Amino acid sequence: ADLDLGAGGLLTSMFGGGSLHSEEKARKKPQRQLEQRPRQQPKIRVVFPSLIWRGKDVLVVNKPADWICSASDVDKKKGRALDPNEKCQNKGFKVLDDLLQYKFGDREKKYIHWWIQLMHDLDHKAYPNLFDEDQNYGLCHRLDRETSGTVLVGLTQLARQQMRECFHRHYVRKLYVCLAHGFVEPKEQTVDKNLEAMGQKARLHPSGKRARTHVKVMANFTKPRKGGQPGEVDEF
């Protein structure tokens, strides 16, 4: 199917709202034009997390893009220093409105567990798991910073342990929607490769862990290229 973006459709709003990020480099403008226009700081529009579902001991939270799922438990085990700003008090957040009114700079770190802790009024006594570095503040798994989606949170240590076991046993199915340049062929395929972790990245390696990813193209669309010749389009 072909999708028409229009003047301000779904994808436009997702880019503007922080749910999608483009890695396409901006084209260089003529030097004369840069000298004529004073450089302006970009306006940062922050999309905040939201609660999708709450169970007795489990939360399902919507994580927008550009929010970070910490890895405090892994960092501590490997002897890496934790970011002091992981703690709400070091950012000066005492109530949820402090976070909502905070003026974030471009690419300034935003930890999703801040929002979760403040949603529970920083109540260490009632929800100790949400403040435990060894339990990664209750996060049962992680999503990359640039990825938006649902995150499971264990309100208790037992709930987190049980949910993590579900991930390890592959009881949880993960679905991702990705916007990519060009055309993917074949439109349905399975990528079955071994991946080896390298810090925050991974590489293909025979001794790595097996990773199977099923890929299906949902749709293709084109849009006119800005400043291009007639008929030139960007293909997605």
mmCIF file of all heavy atoms in Angstrom, residues 49-81:
data_model
loop_
_atom_site.group_PDB
_atom_site.id
_atom_site.type_symbol
_atom_site.label_atom_id
_atom_site.label_comp_id
_atom_site.label_asym_id
_atom_site.label_seq_id
_atom_site.Cartn_x
_atom_site.Cartn_y
_atom_site.Cartn_z
ATOM 1 N N PRO A 49 6.246 10.083 29.602
ATOM 2 C CA PRO A 49 5.687 8.728 29.706
ATOM 3 C C PRO A 49 4.236 8.771 30.167
ATOM 4 O O PRO A 49 3.752 9.789 30.667
ATOM 5 C CB PRO A 49 6.588 8.062 30.760
ATOM 6 C CG PRO A 49 7.847 8.858 30.774
ATOM 7 C CD PRO A 49 7.428 10.271 30.473
ATOM 8 N N SER A 50 3.558 7.651 29.998
ATOM 9 C CA SER A 50 2.170 7.541 30.446
ATOM 10 C C SER A 50 1.906 6.109 30.904
ATOM 11 O O SER A 50 2.603 5.179 30.493
ATOM 12 C CB SER A 50 1.196 7.931 29.331
ATOM 13 O OG SER A 50 1.387 7.108 28.191
ATOM 14 N N LEU A 51 0.920 5.961 31.764
ATOM 15 C CA LEU A 51 0.569 4.648 32.302
ATOM 16 C C LEU A 51 -0.453 3.975 31.395
ATOM 17 O O LEU A 51 -1.516 4.534 31.120
ATOM 18 C CB LEU A 51 0.015 4.788 33.715
ATOM 19 C CG LEU A 51 -0.334 3.482 34.444
ATOM 20 C CD1 LEU A 51 0.916 2.631 34.656
ATOM 21 C CD2 LEU A 51 -1.014 3.785 35.781
ATOM 22 N N ILE A 52 -0.129 2.780 30.909
ATOM 23 C CA ILE A 52 -1.036 2.024 30.050
ATOM 24 C C ILE A 52 -1.921 1.107 30.885
ATOM 25 O O ILE A 52 -3.122 1.020 30.666
ATOM 26 C CB ILE A 52 -0.237 1.199 29.023
ATOM 27 C CG1 ILE A 52 0.553 2.130 28.100
ATOM 28 C CG2 ILE A 52 -1.171 0.306 28.207
ATOM 29 C CD1 ILE A 52 1.433 1.398 27.112
ATOM 30 N N TRP A 53 -1.324 0.410 31.850
ATOM 31 C CA TRP A 53 -2.071 -0.547 32.659
ATOM 32 C C TRP A 53 -1.376 -0.726 34.000
ATOM 33 O O TRP A 53 -0.149 -0.654 34.089
ATOM 34 C CB TRP A 53 -2.162 -1.891 31.939
ATOM 35 C CG TRP A 53 -2.910 -2.960 32.678
ATOM 36 C CD1 TRP A 53 -4.261 -3.116 32.754
ATOM 37 C CD2 TRP A 53 -2.348 -4.031 33.455
ATOM 38 N NE1 TRP A 53 -4.586 -4.206 33.533
ATOM 39 C CE2 TRP A 53 -3.417 -4.798 33.968
ATOM 40 C CE3 TRP A 53 -1.040 -4.412 33.768
ATOM 41 C CZ2 TRP A 53 -3.226 -5.911 34.779
ATOM 42 C CZ3 TRP A 53 -0.837 -5.522 34.564
ATOM 43 C CH2 TRP A 53 -1.926 -6.271 35.059
ATOM 44 N N ARG A 54 -2.160 -0.931 35.025
ATOM 45 C CA ARG A 54 -1.622 -1.165 36.363
ATOM 46 C C ARG A 54 -2.262 -2.414 36.946
ATOM 47 O O ARG A 54 -3.479 -2.526 37.030
ATOM 48 C CB ARG A 54 -1.885 0.028 37.288
ATOM 49 C CG ARG A 54 -1.278 -0.140 38.677
ATOM 50 C CD ARG A 54 -1.651 0.995 39.616
ATOM 51 N NE ARG A 54 -0.933 0.864 40.872
ATOM 52 C CZ ARG A 54 0.166 1.531 41.198
ATOM 53 N NH1 ARG A 54 0.665 2.416 40.338
ATOM 54 N NH2 ARG A 54 0.766 1.351 42.349
ATOM 55 N N GLY A 55 -1.428 -3.378 37.323
ATOM 56 C CA GLY A 55 -1.884 -4.560 38.017
ATOM 57 C C GLY A 55 -1.536 -4.454 39.495
ATOM 58 O O GLY A 55 -1.137 -3.396 39.979
ATOM 59 N N LYS A 56 -1.663 -5.547 40.197
ATOM 60 C CA LYS A 56 -1.371 -5.532 41.622
ATOM 61 C C LYS A 56 0.097 -5.230 41.884
ATOM 62 O O LYS A 56 0.423 -4.405 42.740
ATOM 63 C CB LYS A 56 -1.749 -6.876 42.248
ATOM 64 C CG LYS A 56 -1.476 -6.949 43.745
ATOM 65 C CD LYS A 56 -1.843 -8.305 44.310
ATOM 66 C CE LYS A 56 -1.519 -8.377 45.802
ATOM 67 N NZ LYS A 56 -1.841 -9.725 46.364
ATOM 68 N N ASP A 57 0.991 -5.884 41.141
ATOM 69 C CA ASP A 57 2.429 -5.727 41.360
ATOM 70 C C ASP A 57 3.195 -5.374 40.091
ATOM 71 O O ASP A 57 4.427 -5.380 40.097
ATOM 72 C CB ASP A 57 3.019 -7.019 41.948
ATOM 73 C CG ASP A 57 2.442 -7.355 43.311
ATOM 74 O OD1 ASP A 57 2.247 -6.415 44.110
ATOM 75 O OD2 ASP A 57 2.165 -8.544 43.565
ATOM 76 N N VAL A 58 2.483 -5.075 39.005
ATOM 77 C CA VAL A 58 3.138 -4.819 37.718
ATOM 78 C C VAL A 58 2.533 -3.579 37.064
ATOM 79 O O VAL A 58 1.313 -3.367 37.134
ATOM 80 C CB VAL A 58 3.004 -6.027 36.772
ATOM 81 C CG1 VAL A 58 3.608 -5.714 35.402
ATOM 82 C CG2 VAL A 58 3.669 -7.256 37.369
ATOM 83 N N LEU A 59 3.388 -2.771 36.443
ATOM 84 C CA LEU A 59 2.946 -1.628 35.655
ATOM 85 C C LEU A 59 3.322 -1.848 34.197
ATOM 86 O O LEU A 59 4.357 -2.454 33.894
ATOM 87 C CB LEU A 59 3.611 -0.325 36.132
ATOM 88 C CG LEU A 59 3.472 0.097 37.583
ATOM 89 C CD1 LEU A 59 4.269 1.378 37.804
ATOM 90 C CD2 LEU A 59 2.015 0.303 37.938
ATOM 91 N N VAL A 60 2.495 -1.335 33.297
ATOM 92 C CA VAL A 60 2.850 -1.256 31.882
ATOM 93 C C VAL A 60 2.897 0.231 31.535
ATOM 94 O O VAL A 60 1.880 0.926 31.602
ATOM 95 C CB VAL A 60 1.826 -1.983 30.992
ATOM 96 C CG1 VAL A 60 2.248 -1.882 29.520
ATOM 97 C CG2 VAL A 60 1.706 -3.446 31.408
ATOM 98 N N VAL A 61 4.087 0.703 31.190
ATOM 99 C CA VAL A 61 4.316 2.137 30.972
ATOM 100 C C VAL A 61 4.687 2.381 29.517
ATOM 101 O O VAL A 61 5.458 1.617 28.913
ATOM 102 C CB VAL A 61 5.444 2.645 31.901
ATOM 103 C CG1 VAL A 61 5.760 4.113 31.616
ATOM 104 C CG2 VAL A 61 5.057 2.454 33.358
ATOM 105 N N ASN A 62 4.138 3.444 28.941
ATOM 106 C CA ASN A 62 4.509 3.863 27.594
ATOM 107 C C ASN A 62 5.754 4.742 27.671
ATOM 108 O O ASN A 62 5.731 5.814 28.275
ATOM 109 C CB ASN A 62 3.371 4.632 26.928
ATOM 110 C CG ASN A 62 3.768 5.169 25.568
ATOM 111 O OD1 ASN A 62 4.385 4.480 24.779
ATOM 112 N ND2 ASN A 62 3.414 6.407 25.300
ATOM 113 N N LYS A 63 6.853 4.286 27.059
ATOM 114 C CA LYS A 63 8.096 5.052 27.045
ATOM 115 C C LYS A 63 8.235 5.772 25.705
ATOM 116 O O LYS A 63 8.389 5.135 24.664
ATOM 117 C CB LYS A 63 9.308 4.143 27.242
ATOM 118 C CG LYS A 63 10.641 4.918 27.340
ATOM 119 C CD LYS A 63 11.834 4.014 27.225
ATOM 120 C CE LYS A 63 12.287 3.835 25.797
ATOM 121 N NZ LYS A 63 12.853 5.077 25.184
ATOM 122 N N PRO A 64 8.217 7.099 25.688
ATOM 123 C CA PRO A 64 8.469 7.813 24.436
ATOM 124 C C PRO A 64 9.945 7.703 24.045
ATOM 125 O O PRO A 64 10.801 7.358 24.860
ATOM 126 C CB PRO A 64 8.090 9.266 24.780
ATOM 127 C CG PRO A 64 7.315 9.193 26.062
ATOM 128 C CD PRO A 64 7.852 8.004 26.792
ATOM 129 N N ALA A 65 10.232 8.011 22.806
ATOM 130 C CA ALA A 65 11.616 8.062 22.363
ATOM 131 C C ALA A 65 12.369 9.148 23.131
ATOM 132 O O ALA A 65 11.774 10.123 23.604
ATOM 133 C CB ALA A 65 11.681 8.347 20.865
ATOM 134 N N ASP A 66 13.675 8.961 23.284
ATOM 135 C CA ASP A 66 14.610 9.874 23.947
ATOM 136 C C ASP A 66 14.589 9.746 25.468
ATOM 137 O O ASP A 66 15.303 10.457 26.153
ATOM 138 C CB ASP A 66 14.388 11.338 23.541
ATOM 139 C CG ASP A 66 15.662 12.159 23.698
ATOM 140 O OD1 ASP A 66 16.754 11.617 23.459
ATOM 141 O OD2 ASP A 66 15.568 13.347 24.080
ATOM 142 N N TRP A 67 13.774 8.844 26.017
ATOM 143 C CA TRP A 67 13.832 8.538 27.438
ATOM 144 C C TRP A 67 14.701 7.303 27.635
ATOM 145 O O TRP A 67 14.679 6.372 26.826
ATOM 146 C CB TRP A 67 12.429 8.317 28.007
ATOM 147 C CG TRP A 67 11.659 9.588 28.162
ATOM 148 C CD1 TRP A 67 11.020 10.281 27.177
ATOM 149 C CD2 TRP A 67 11.460 10.329 29.365
ATOM 150 N NE1 TRP A 67 10.429 11.414 27.691
ATOM 151 C CE2 TRP A 67 10.682 11.458 29.033
ATOM 152 C CE3 TRP A 67 11.852 10.136 30.687
ATOM 153 C CZ2 TRP A 67 10.300 12.408 29.980
ATOM 154 C CZ3 TRP A 67 11.458 11.075 31.634
ATOM 155 C CH2 TRP A 67 10.705 12.196 31.284
ATOM 156 N N ILE A 68 15.472 7.295 28.716
ATOM 157 C CA ILE A 68 16.477 6.261 28.941
ATOM 158 C C ILE A 68 15.989 5.253 29.974
ATOM 159 O O ILE A 68 15.503 5.631 31.045
ATOM 160 C CB ILE A 68 17.798 6.885 29.424
ATOM 161 C CG1 ILE A 68 18.350 7.835 28.353
ATOM 162 C CG2 ILE A 68 18.822 5.810 29.769
ATOM 163 C CD1 ILE A 68 19.578 8.620 28.815
ATOM 164 N N CYS A 69 16.126 3.980 29.620
ATOM 165 C CA CYS A 69 15.959 2.901 30.596
ATOM 166 C C CYS A 69 17.335 2.630 31.196
ATOM 167 O O CYS A 69 18.240 2.171 30.484
ATOM 168 C CB CYS A 69 15.413 1.640 29.933
ATOM 169 S SG CYS A 69 13.731 1.780 29.311
ATOM 170 N N SER A 70 17.495 2.917 32.452
ATOM 171 C CA SER A 70 18.803 2.763 33.090
ATOM 172 C C SER A 70 19.201 1.289 33.141
ATOM 173 O O SER A 70 18.394 0.389 32.904
ATOM 174 C CB SER A 70 18.772 3.336 34.506
ATOM 175 O OG SER A 70 17.819 2.629 35.284
ATOM 176 N N ALA A 71 20.477 1.059 33.465
ATOM 177 C CA ALA A 71 21.007 -0.298 33.644
ATOM 178 C C ALA A 71 21.843 -0.315 34.920
ATOM 179 O O ALA A 71 22.977 -0.796 34.932
ATOM 180 C CB ALA A 71 21.828 -0.722 32.441
ATOM 181 N N SER A 72 21.271 0.216 35.995
ATOM 182 C CA SER A 72 22.024 0.361 37.239
ATOM 183 C C SER A 72 22.471 -0.981 37.802
ATOM 184 O O SER A 72 23.570 -1.097 38.365
ATOM 185 C CB SER A 72 21.193 1.114 38.280
ATOM 186 O OG SER A 72 19.973 0.429 38.547
ATOM 187 N N ASP A 73 21.625 -2.018 37.653
ATOM 188 C CA ASP A 73 21.992 -3.325 38.184
ATOM 189 C C ASP A 73 23.204 -3.889 37.451
ATOM 190 O O ASP A 73 24.139 -4.417 38.073
ATOM 191 C CB ASP A 73 20.806 -4.289 38.095
ATOM 192 C CG ASP A 73 20.193 -4.355 36.706
ATOM 193 O OD1 ASP A 73 20.484 -3.470 35.865
ATOM 194 O OD2 ASP A 73 19.418 -5.294 36.454
ATOM 195 N N VAL A 74 23.223 -3.766 36.124
ATOM 196 C CA VAL A 74 24.353 -4.262 35.334
ATOM 197 C C VAL A 74 25.603 -3.421 35.594
ATOM 198 O O VAL A 74 26.711 -3.954 35.747
ATOM 199 C CB VAL A 74 24.006 -4.255 33.836
ATOM 200 C CG1 VAL A 74 25.209 -4.685 32.991
ATOM 201 C CG2 VAL A 74 22.808 -5.151 33.567
ATOM 202 N N ASP A 75 25.432 -2.092 35.665
ATOM 203 C CA ASP A 75 26.574 -1.211 35.901
ATOM 204 C C ASP A 75 27.244 -1.523 37.240
ATOM 205 O O ASP A 75 28.479 -1.542 37.335
ATOM 206 C CB ASP A 75 26.123 0.253 35.865
ATOM 207 C CG ASP A 75 25.741 0.703 34.460
ATOM 208 O OD1 ASP A 75 26.217 0.067 33.497
ATOM 209 O OD2 ASP A 75 24.983 1.681 34.337
ATOM 210 N N LYS A 76 26.449 -1.758 38.265
ATOM 211 C CA LYS A 76 27.015 -2.058 39.576
ATOM 212 C C LYS A 76 27.767 -3.381 39.568
ATOM 213 O O LYS A 76 28.854 -3.505 40.155
ATOM 214 C CB LYS A 76 25.920 -2.070 40.639
ATOM 215 C CG LYS A 76 25.368 -0.693 40.973
ATOM 216 C CD LYS A 76 24.413 -0.727 42.159
ATOM 217 C CE LYS A 76 25.137 -1.020 43.453
ATOM 218 N NZ LYS A 76 24.243 -0.935 44.614
ATOM 219 N N LYS A 77 27.206 -4.394 38.902
ATOM 220 C CA LYS A 77 27.866 -5.693 38.841
ATOM 221 C C LYS A 77 29.199 -5.609 38.111
ATOM 222 O O LYS A 77 30.149 -6.332 38.436
ATOM 223 C CB LYS A 77 26.954 -6.705 38.151
ATOM 224 C CG LYS A 77 25.761 -7.135 38.994
ATOM 225 C CD LYS A 77 24.880 -8.125 38.238
ATOM 226 C CE LYS A 77 23.679 -8.537 39.079
ATOM 227 N NZ LYS A 77 22.792 -9.484 38.330
ATOM 228 N N LYS A 78 29.288 -4.726 37.120
ATOM 229 C CA LYS A 78 30.517 -4.590 36.340
ATOM 230 C C LYS A 78 31.447 -3.518 36.892
ATOM 231 O O LYS A 78 32.480 -3.217 36.286
ATOM 232 C CB LYS A 78 30.170 -4.286 34.877
ATOM 233 C CG LYS A 78 29.444 -5.438 34.185
ATOM 234 C CD LYS A 78 29.300 -5.195 32.705
ATOM 235 C CE LYS A 78 28.674 -6.410 32.010
ATOM 236 N NZ LYS A 78 28.573 -6.227 30.545
ATOM 237 N N GLY A 79 31.070 -2.941 38.031
ATOM 238 C CA GLY A 79 31.932 -1.963 38.676
ATOM 239 C C GLY A 79 31.956 -0.599 38.018
ATOM 240 O O GLY A 79 32.873 0.193 38.278
ATOM 241 N N ARG A 80 30.964 -0.307 37.187
ATOM 242 C CA ARG A 80 30.906 0.997 36.541
ATOM 243 C C ARG A 80 30.191 1.999 37.432
ATOM 244 O O ARG A 80 29.212 1.658 38.104
ATOM 245 C CB ARG A 80 30.195 0.892 35.183
ATOM 246 C CG ARG A 80 30.944 0.088 34.146
ATOM 247 C CD ARG A 80 30.364 0.312 32.761
ATOM 248 N NE ARG A 80 29.042 -0.281 32.630
ATOM 249 C CZ ARG A 80 28.791 -1.383 31.931
ATOM 250 N NH1 ARG A 80 29.790 -2.032 31.343
ATOM 251 N NH2 ARG A 80 27.562 -1.857 31.820
ATOM 252 N N ALA A 81 30.667 3.220 37.424
ATOM 253 C CA ALA A 81 30.057 4.273 38.245
ATOM 254 C C ALA A 81 28.680 4.628 37.694
ATOM 255 O O ALA A 81 28.483 4.719 36.477
ATOM 256 C CB ALA A 81 30.948 5.512 38.257
#
